[in-house]
Amino acid sequence: MKPKEGSAIEFEKGSSLWNDALLRLRNNKLAVASFFFITTMCVLSFIVVYLPGIKLDPNSQDLSNRFASSSVDHWLGTDQLGRDFLARILYGGQISLLVGIGASMITVLIGVVYGSIAGYIGGRTRDIMMRVVDGMMALPFLILVILLRDAIENNIKEASDHMIHVWNWSPDLVLRFSNLAPLILAIGAFGWLTMGRIVEAAAAATSKMEYVQAGRSLGLGHLSLIFKHIIPNILSPIIIYSTLTIPSFILYEATLSFIGLGIEPPNSSWGTLIKEGANYLETALPLLVWPSLFFTLTLLAFNFLGDGLRDAFDPKSSKS
Amino acid sequence: MISLILSRLGQSLLTLIALVSVVFVLVRMKPGNPFQDEKAVPAHVMEKINEKYGFAQTSTELYLIEEWNLPPKVAALERYGEQYVKYWFNLIFRFDLGPCLKLYQGFSVGELIEQSFPYSLILGLFAMVYALGVGIPLGVVAALYKNTWIDYGTMLIAMLGICIPVFVSGPLFQVLVATKVPFIRTAGMEGVSDLIIPAIALGLGVAAYVARLTRGGMLEVLSLDYVRTAKAKGLPMSQIVIRHCLRGALMPVISYIGPAFAAITTGSFVIESVFQIPGMGQHFVKGVTGNEIFIVQGLALFYGVIIMGANLFSDLLQVWLNPQLRKDLVK
Amino acid sequence: MNKRSWSVLFLLLSSGFLISCKSKKPAEVAADDGILILGNSNEPKGLDPHLVSGVLENNILRSMFEGLAGDHPSKDGVAIPGAAERWEHSADFKQWTFYLQPEARWSDGCPVNAHDFTYAFQRILSPDLGGPYAEMLYYIEGAEDFNKGKIKDFGQVKVWAEDDLTLKLVLNNPMPFLPEITKHFTWFPVPKHIVNKHGAMDDRGNLWSKAENIVSNGPFKMKSHVLTHSIEVERNEYYWDAKQVKLNGIRFLPVSNAYTEARMFKDGLIHKAYGIPSELRAHFYENYPEWVRAEGDYGTRFIRVNVTKPSLNNIHFRKALALSIDRQLYIDTVRQGGGEKAAYSLTPPTEDYQPPKVFYFDPEEAKKSLEKSGFDGKQTLTLMVTDSDTAKRAAEVLQGMWRKHLGLNIRISTFDWATYLQRQHSLDYDLCIAGWLGDFLDPTTFLTMWTKGNGNNNTGWFSEPYEALLDKAANTADPAKRFSILAEAEKLFLEDTAIIPVFWFTKMYLLDPRVKNWNPLLLGNNPYKFIEFSTKPE
């Protein structure tokens, strides 16, 4: 959801819509704060932990120092196996942010294109397209995940062997990410269904609006109608829904990692940390509270940023 | 309207047939055998059972593998063909979804659904009522006080629902509420009242979606001309909201409640396990992990019906609420 | 809302509290009624003793059925009269005669006779039934051949009813501990008249064991069964020893979530929790020591090694893996105060059998062994586990130890249950965490599975001298001599390190202090007929 660097140039030469939007976004303090929070989170998780001099090892166990409380050595204490909890949360952030943002992007891409085309065209085609969505919703995703998991296990093993022993990559890095791409693809491939339905409904309603009908009678192409007139007008549910799917995907990763698709132990993600932390509800509350806090704050930031974007890009709100 | 419903039902039927066919193949591709257990079943016994339930390779199949070099999973399609026909035959003429093989011995999949679905349905309905009852007012309030602290506060409350996944909210409710309050049971299912806390735990996340989507929809509608006119006329805000805004503002919510209701009734596995509710979600998960082909097929079909029913319901509601779409239909 | 309605609401709420404070907890009410409520971890797969193989099914079946010999309420390995009032054996322990209780009745009032036993044995051994645990009867001469279809006539299996109350058996080998075996549910009788009423004897789809049909010969009979909700049994008035039975009924709850179960116990909803999740053990030890029970168990957690894989086919490499596990530290961190014991062998030691001491922790020796193996480090081994939080934590600890002491990088791979079993079975794994619970009190329950082609072996390991030793033990009637041969066999097997034992199980559970006569037993088959509630409050 955050603007890419390249798009800044487009803002300069682009239409006044982009300039207006950017301006409105800048004036929204909460959205700006959220944007900085997310950026900080990304920097902390992806860059700071790898800086020389930062001694954060998420997987080094000290079994004699388990469940330690916060101290100078361990800012957030240690977990059930004496691992530094801050390190586990920050490294976990890498996985969770990648999964959340990556899978959401796939979801938005497929869901918006599919849904808006179906909603715009209508008729038989729409019926077929939407029944495909219904059918896919009813498919037992769990079986597909298990099948995928079993099918790729030996390939992943060979691939990581190759990367570690032939290419001499760091085993920590390889084992942390080797299983991640299939997971993101799997979530993305099925996560878009509800998005597709929501977009379809909104697009169907919008394509009945006068200005779309007018555009059609003016002889505008279908694609330009869809992308220039329909999608911008249904941005609101798209942004709201996609910012909400980020946390569900982050949590879903924990469930799928549990049956082996996704991250492999001993690596952590926010989802798995929260899931394990729930087991310590009576005995070691910080193990649940800290990852939940990082997760919740990040999620709130995504949603407030989403709101800001929605307000900024909504063509209707520019009138007010 | 009736022709719309009929055509949708026809389409859904075709989709269901396709769904069952896909699941039929998928569940047989999964590694493992329903009868295998931690303590191994002796080979000669396994052979007998496999023959009886159609898990053993036939001679034609072996021929295809050896002579045609087909991968075993492809050659197995030969054997599945007959089972496929038999499955449909039993389903259509005997209303029989097949037996449970290893789990729940002596029960049929039909009995399984009959026993467990009422719990899942009531749980789902409760959760949905909670989600809509909490989510819509929160969304409306937030939209009316857009970008104020009231807005942020209500959205914060709503969003906590998503941040607290069921595997946390369930145990949290147990520890904070059930073990403290004497008349609330920690877990177990002795009466409908035992479903209230699980339903809230299940509905928290949905409520957040509903609140967010309502807020978004309200903001759209509030900026429309007729609402501004109404405001300019000096109508009280409550009247504007109820008479003029809600119908339009709830459109995104309505297209969401179909899939949401289906997801709640079919995906309550964690809540069932935490609160010890004899619902359907656990059967599906156990069926999948235990390779119970008939349970998986039967429940996938049943879930398909629920999902398509819920989606049809939410689509019809949408048509009914949107004059534009209704006009189209009449044409 | 005005003042008055507030006060009405307040009154209503407070009266609700008062009523509920007075009312007793469900477990208390049940105790007054003589009903025992047990957490039983999961829904049983079925109630047909010939078609199930698990512990939780056993827990329910033991309440409803009774084998020839019964369990002693407080002593391991002692058989007391069950469905048989007494028994005799020949000097070589090969021919046995069981004299049935003349008063014994099925729960529908029909007499239990020797034909019900022969019928049950024939049924479980029928090839077409596909009883997964028929092996438990292979001690009987001819049973294996009949089960494998080599002989068709059950008359050739050496078990017969001399008359209605006398059952005779001839065994393949001397078996001084046969009465122990007859306690197992595979040896339970089934009601011939009921089974036949509901279909063919060897039909797996026979519905005789469904709640509405089942008839049993034990202290309790079926009352109700609601799927994944509860199974309730009630006193069987026709039971021959009904006077001894103190409880009016038992309710088995399939609570699969261990955390929920512990909280239910705390909330006074059940009398016994099946287990205590390791995360909560310290919590219960500290706050509710009077509830916690930790007792020896007859089972072992071990790591299965696939000896057909490169590197793992090297004995020095396997030894290095075994030597670098600090078992006590593992127990402290993974089990968290469960009182488990570090395992130096596969079979847990008992009074009669002392297993060889093979495994210990020695990082220095482990390093040397790794060097000796010539392992070049150019391979990432995978440790396969099933999808549970505890298994994951166990794998992480092992991974950490191998990394620390040997510098190995090991991948952890989690799979769903069926896939995990399938991959073990097809030897499609490197290392995996596994476990075994003994079915009866004899080391053979741990040792016979490592023979060539045995379905529970799954390591690719086999050895002719090992199998020769097992045969020799089977033909030795003198118990002491037999145990020493078995110990020799176990030593041979363990020194090859096809499995790496980690710890011996401990049964940890929560028990209501009101429950009397629930004594520590190694197999955990506490006979329900001796259980009662203490009359005075805690």
Side-chain angles (χ1 to χ4, degrees), chain B residues 176-190:
Chain B
L176 295 184
V177 184
T179 38
K180 301 270 155 62
V181 185
F183 50 88
I184 292 181
R185 231 185 291 268
T186 314
M189 180 64 226
E190 304 299 330

Side-chain angles (χ1 to χ4, degrees), chain C residues 374-442:
Chain C
F375 182 69
D376 59 359
K378 291 228 183 295
Q379 191 191 354
T380 313
L381 293 165
T382 303
L383 175 62
M384 180 170 78
V385 291
T386 131
D387 47 358
S388 85
D389 284 332
T390 325
K392 204 181 119 186
R393 193 166 58 237
E396 286 177 351
V397 168
L398 290 170
Q399 185 188 43
M401 286 176 179
W402 284 326
R403 188 174 195 165
K404 185 172 166 198
H405 300 304
L406 301 175
L408 290 178
N409 274 312
I410 304 246
R411 266 186 74 211
I412 298 170
S413 234
T414 44
F415 287 97
D416 70 286
W417 184 239
T419 315
Y420 164 86
L421 291 179
Q422 179 64 31
R423 288 183 92 97
Q424 276 193 48
H425 219 62
S426 49
L427 290 180
D428 195 3
Y429 73 96
D430 296 337
L431 299 158
C432 87
I433 299 184
W436 189 261
L437 266 174
D439 291 310
F440 47 90
L441 269 185
D442 189 79

Side-chain angles (χ1 to χ4, degrees), chain A residues 45-64:
Chain A
S45 305
F46 287 98
I47 300 172
V48 172
V49 291
Y50 292 115
L51 287 181
I54 301 277
K55 284 198 189 102
L56 282 175
D57 186 344
N59 295 338
S60 100
Q61 303 170 357
D62 178 2
L63 297 181
S64 57

